Tab-separated table of all heavy atoms in Angstrom:
chain	number	residue	atom	x	y	z
A	338	GLY	N	29.343	19.349	11.016
A	338	GLY	CA	28.653	20.349	11.876
A	338	GLY	C	29.452	20.386	13.172
A	338	GLY	O	30.412	21.093	13.393
A	339	ASP	N	29.016	19.564	14.186
A	339	ASP	CA	29.632	19.614	15.483
A	339	ASP	C	30.923	18.880	15.636
A	339	ASP	O	31.710	18.893	16.628
A	339	ASP	CB	28.602	19.044	16.560
A	339	ASP	CG	28.134	17.633	16.252
A	339	ASP	OD1	28.423	17.192	15.012
A	339	ASP	OD2	27.680	16.985	17.097
A	340	HIS	N	31.294	18.131	14.583
A	340	HIS	CA	32.630	17.371	14.605
A	340	HIS	C	33.047	17.203	13.127
A	340	HIS	O	32.351	17.505	12.069
A	340	HIS	CB	32.388	16.106	15.325
A	340	HIS	CG	31.713	15.008	14.587
A	340	HIS	ND1	30.362	14.883	14.676
A	340	HIS	CD2	32.092	14.095	13.699
A	340	HIS	CE1	29.840	13.922	14.000
A	340	HIS	NE2	30.929	13.402	13.234
A	341	VAL	N	34.314	16.667	13.018
A	341	VAL	CA	34.883	16.461	11.633
A	341	VAL	C	35.301	15.051	11.772
A	341	VAL	O	35.867	14.618	12.798
A	341	VAL	CB	36.090	17.397	11.423
A	341	VAL	CG1	36.634	17.133	10.009
A	341	VAL	CG2	35.768	18.872	11.530
A	342	GLU	N	35.083	14.249	10.641
A	342	GLU	CA	35.588	12.941	10.610
A	342	GLU	C	36.821	13.060	9.736
A	342	GLU	O	36.831	13.372	8.492
A	342	GLU	CB	34.529	12.081	9.634
A	342	GLU	CG	33.451	11.565	10.582
A	342	GLU	CD	32.422	10.901	9.611
A	342	GLU	OE1	32.579	10.696	8.495
A	342	GLU	OE2	31.272	10.607	10.163
A	343	VAL	N	37.990	12.648	10.286
A	343	VAL	CA	39.188	12.724	9.621
A	343	VAL	C	39.535	11.294	9.092
A	343	VAL	O	39.513	10.300	9.900
A	343	VAL	CB	40.404	13.242	10.488
A	343	VAL	CG1	41.661	13.279	9.725
A	343	VAL	CG2	39.947	14.529	11.076
A	344	HIS	N	39.777	11.177	7.720
A	344	HIS	CA	40.063	9.817	7.197
A	344	HIS	C	41.588	9.727	7.083
A	344	HIS	O	42.227	10.600	6.539
A	344	HIS	CB	39.431	9.733	5.835
A	344	HIS	CG	37.867	9.674	5.910
A	344	HIS	ND1	37.285	8.719	5.339
A	344	HIS	CD2	36.952	10.432	6.539
A	344	HIS	CE1	35.937	8.845	5.444
A	344	HIS	NE2	35.848	10.026	6.285
A	345	VAL	N	42.075	8.671	7.548
A	345	VAL	CA	43.540	8.303	7.584
A	345	VAL	C	43.786	6.970	6.841
A	345	VAL	O	43.264	6.068	7.184
A	345	VAL	CB	44.068	8.303	8.971
A	345	VAL	CG1	45.501	8.005	8.930
A	345	VAL	CG2	43.751	9.590	9.726
A	346	GLU	N	44.660	7.095	5.789
A	346	GLU	CA	45.030	5.867	5.162
A	346	GLU	C	46.197	5.311	5.852
A	346	GLU	O	47.289	5.899	5.987
A	346	GLU	CB	45.399	6.265	3.676
A	346	GLU	CG	45.538	5.038	2.736
A	346	GLU	CD	44.177	4.342	2.600
A	346	GLU	OE1	43.227	5.202	2.478
A	346	GLU	OE2	44.112	3.147	2.462
A	347	THR	N	46.075	4.053	6.202
A	347	THR	CA	47.043	3.289	7.025
A	347	THR	C	47.639	2.128	6.187
A	347	THR	O	47.042	1.814	5.146
A	347	THR	CB	46.645	2.789	8.275
A	347	THR	OG1	45.726	1.706	8.172
A	347	THR	CG2	45.765	3.907	9.118
A	348	GLY	N	48.534	1.357	6.724
A	348	GLY	CA	49.042	0.185	6.123
A	348	GLY	C	47.995	-0.908	5.916
A	348	GLY	O	48.134	-1.729	5.065
A	349	SER	N	46.878	-0.995	6.711
A	349	SER	CA	45.955	-1.962	6.545
A	349	SER	C	44.595	-1.323	6.108
A	349	SER	O	43.562	-1.873	6.356
A	349	SER	CB	45.657	-2.759	7.905
A	349	SER	OG	45.055	-1.956	8.709
A	350	GLY	N	44.598	-0.214	5.447
A	350	GLY	CA	43.378	0.397	4.989
A	350	GLY	C	43.001	1.688	5.698
A	350	GLY	O	43.829	2.275	6.468
Side-chain angles (χ1 to χ4, degrees):
Chain A
D339 58 345
H340 69 272
V341 182
E342 281 173 8
V343 182
H344 293 229
V345 176
E346 196 62 38
T347 75
S349 76

